[in-house]
Amino acid sequence: MNDKEIEAFFCNIMANDKQVSAGIAAICTLLKYLEHDKSETIQELVTKLKRAVKIMRSTDCPITAVVSGSELFLRFITLATLDYSTFADCKKIMLHRGEVFLNKLKEARGKVAKLGSSFIVDGSKVLTHSKSRVVYETFKEATKSNKRFHVYVTRSSPDSSGEEMAEELRKMNIPCTVILDSAIGYVMEQMDIVMIGAEGVVESGGVINKVGSYTMALCAREMKKPFYVLTESFKFSRLYPLNQRDLPDEFKYKWSALKKDLSQEHPLVDYTPPSYISLLFTDLGILTPSAVSDELIKLYL
């Protein structure tokens, strides 16, 4: 696969399968590349895979999960290089490990949904931000238990992705109200819990998510409402930002916008510090923010 084919394959997954996150799409692309690659040494193969990751990072798709998912995938499959003497055997086991890893990640959303749905109480009001696949699955899981609850979802500028989320919830017969991003403070006092997804989870236990998440966390903290983050473990990233400025620009803006005057561009994501997060629901279990660094060490050991 050449550079254009890698980009086309990745972008095609993102465009045609709305249920697949950018991280999973990146891993599917790397697996496809691994299948067709003609490298003759481990070093050459790893170098090419890293180049493929760089190409995917140069698209206008959200890259936070692309970075964390790709790093974890490369770490997982390259462990095979320690156990096999010939390159052919090694590549075969790399492909096998990659497929096992991908299947494990595909099951992650369901695990998170089961954990999160148990915290939705019958008759409660839940606030969420933008559109999140794992939050949607959690609401869906809660309805299977015949729980009645009302969801308030922010419209989420600039792409109004909250409208899409509301439409999908209504198809599930879940009562839903779309609110303005600026009305978060107004509705917060009525809420029982806040549930959001995440594009990435950093070492400190803080999260990177659609811009407006930090505002929601501030309001929830001030009004003493539980603020829950629902996310898969492949989004755990080896970053340690202390504030909004510490986030890399490539995470905050589309690739095509990086060449422009960024002072005139709106960031797509923001960083919510761990002190504002009550719990993280993951496929590894329910974690406090401080436990994330321990889980990252286990993932990369």
Side-chain angles (χ1 to χ4, degrees), residues 15-59:
N16 296 326
D17 194 342
K18 298 297 182 186
Q19 293 307 309
V20 172
S21 74
I24 296 287
I27 291 165
C28 289
T29 306
L30 290 174
L31 260 180
K32 189 76 175 174
Y33 186 86
L34 196 56
E35 285 174 22
H36 293 86
D37 184 64
K38 306 292 186 204
S39 297
E40 296 180 357
T41 66
I42 295 291
Q43 187 64 44
E44 184 185 359
L45 176 58
V46 171
T47 302
K48 286 183 176 179
L49 286 170
K50 286 180 178 177
R51 195 193 79 234
V53 174
K54 191 175 180 181
I55 292 163
M56 289 185 282
R57 289 172 70 159
S58 302
T59 64

Side-chain angles (χ1 to χ4, degrees), residues 120 124-128 139 149-152 191 193-195:
I120 298 174
S124 61
K125 290 182 179 179
V126 185
L127 178 62
T128 189
F139 293 156
F149 55 97
H150 192 110
V151 176
Y152 289 75
M191 298 301 112
I193 58 172
V194 180
M195 281 185 164

Side-chain angles (χ1 to χ4, degrees), residues 127-130 151-155 162 165-166 169 176-179:
L127 178 62
T128 189
H129 182 49
S130 186
V151 176
Y152 289 75
V153 56
T154 53
R155 179 166 286 147
M165 179 76 162
L169 291 172
C176 183
T177 303
V178 178
I179 66 166

Side-chain angles (χ1 to χ4, degrees), residues 36 121 151 250 268:
H36 293 86
V121 180
V151 176
E250 62 173 340
L268 300 176

Side-chain angles (χ1 to χ4, degrees), residues 80 91 104 195 224:
K91 188 175 177 183
K104 187 180 174 185
M195 281 185 164
K224 296 178 173 55

Side-chain angles (χ1 to χ4, degrees), residues 61-266:
C61 299
I63 69 144
T64 310
V66 171
V67 173
S68 57
S70 300
E71 272 188 13
L72 201 56
F73 175 79
L74 290 174
R75 171 66 182 150
F76 191 75
I77 66 164
T78 50
L79 286 172
T81 61
L82 303 173
D83 305 325
Y84 295 86
S85 54
T86 68
F87 179 69
D89 289 343
C90 189
K91 188 175 177 183
K92 196 182 293 180
I93 204 67
M94 272 183 163
L95 276 167
H96 174 68
R97 286 178 74 99
E99 284 163 8
V100 168
F101 184 71
L102 183 61
N103 290 331
K104 187 180 174 185
L105 295 188
K106 284 179 177 176
E107 295 168 3
R109 198 178 293 167
K111 292 178 182 177
V112 178
K114 283 182 180 176
L115 289 173
S117 63
S118 63
F119 276 64
I120 298 174
V121 180
D122 199 35
S124 61
K125 290 182 179 179
V126 185
L127 178 62
T128 189
H129 182 49
S130 186
K131 181 183 178 182
S132 165
R133 300 173 190 87
V134 70
V135 171
Y136 171 75
E137 286 297 323
T138 302
F139 293 156
K140 191 175 172 182
E141 190 69 32
T143 58
K144 290 178 185 175
S145 306
N146 296 317
K147 291 179 181 178
R148 295 165 299 170
F149 55 97
H150 192 110
V151 176
Y152 289 75
V153 56
T154 53
R155 179 166 286 147
S156 187
S157 297
D159 59 1
S160 299
S161 52
E163 297 278 8
E164 291 177 39
M165 179 76 162
E167 193 177 319
E168 290 184 19
L169 291 172
R170 287 173 187 136
K171 285 177 185 173
M172 286 289 300
N173 295 316
I174 298 172
C176 183
T177 303
V178 178
I179 66 166
L180 294 171
D181 294 17
S182 52
I184 290 171
Y186 178 82
V187 301
M188 188 63 77
E189 62 185 28
Q190 306 168 42
M191 298 301 112
D192 294 297
I193 58 172
V194 180
M195 281 185 164
I196 68 162
E199 290 191 20
V201 181
V202 300
E203 284 190 51
S204 62
V207 298
I208 301 166
N209 196 42
K210 181 76 180 286
V211 70
S213 301
Y214 182 38
T215 309
M216 191 174 279
L218 284 166
C219 290
R221 173 74 173 273
E222 187 63 30
M223 298 195 183
K224 296 178 173 55
K225 305 291 181 179
F227 188 85
Y228 300 136
V229 176
L230 286 66
T231 184
E232 303 97 328
S233 59
F234 71 82
K235 294 179 179 176
F236 285 16
S237 181
R238 292 188 295 178
L239 284 173
Y240 206 106
L242 298 176
N243 51 43
Q244 310 299 332
R245 287 169 302 179
D246 283 350
L247 282 182
D249 285 341
E250 62 173 340
F251 284 29
K252 291 189 281 189
Y253 305 98
K254 287 184 177 180
W255 176 260
S256 57
L258 290 176
K259 298 166 189 174
K260 301 176 184 176
D261 179 6
L262 295 182
S263 65
Q264 302 301 314
E265 296 291 321
H266 293 289

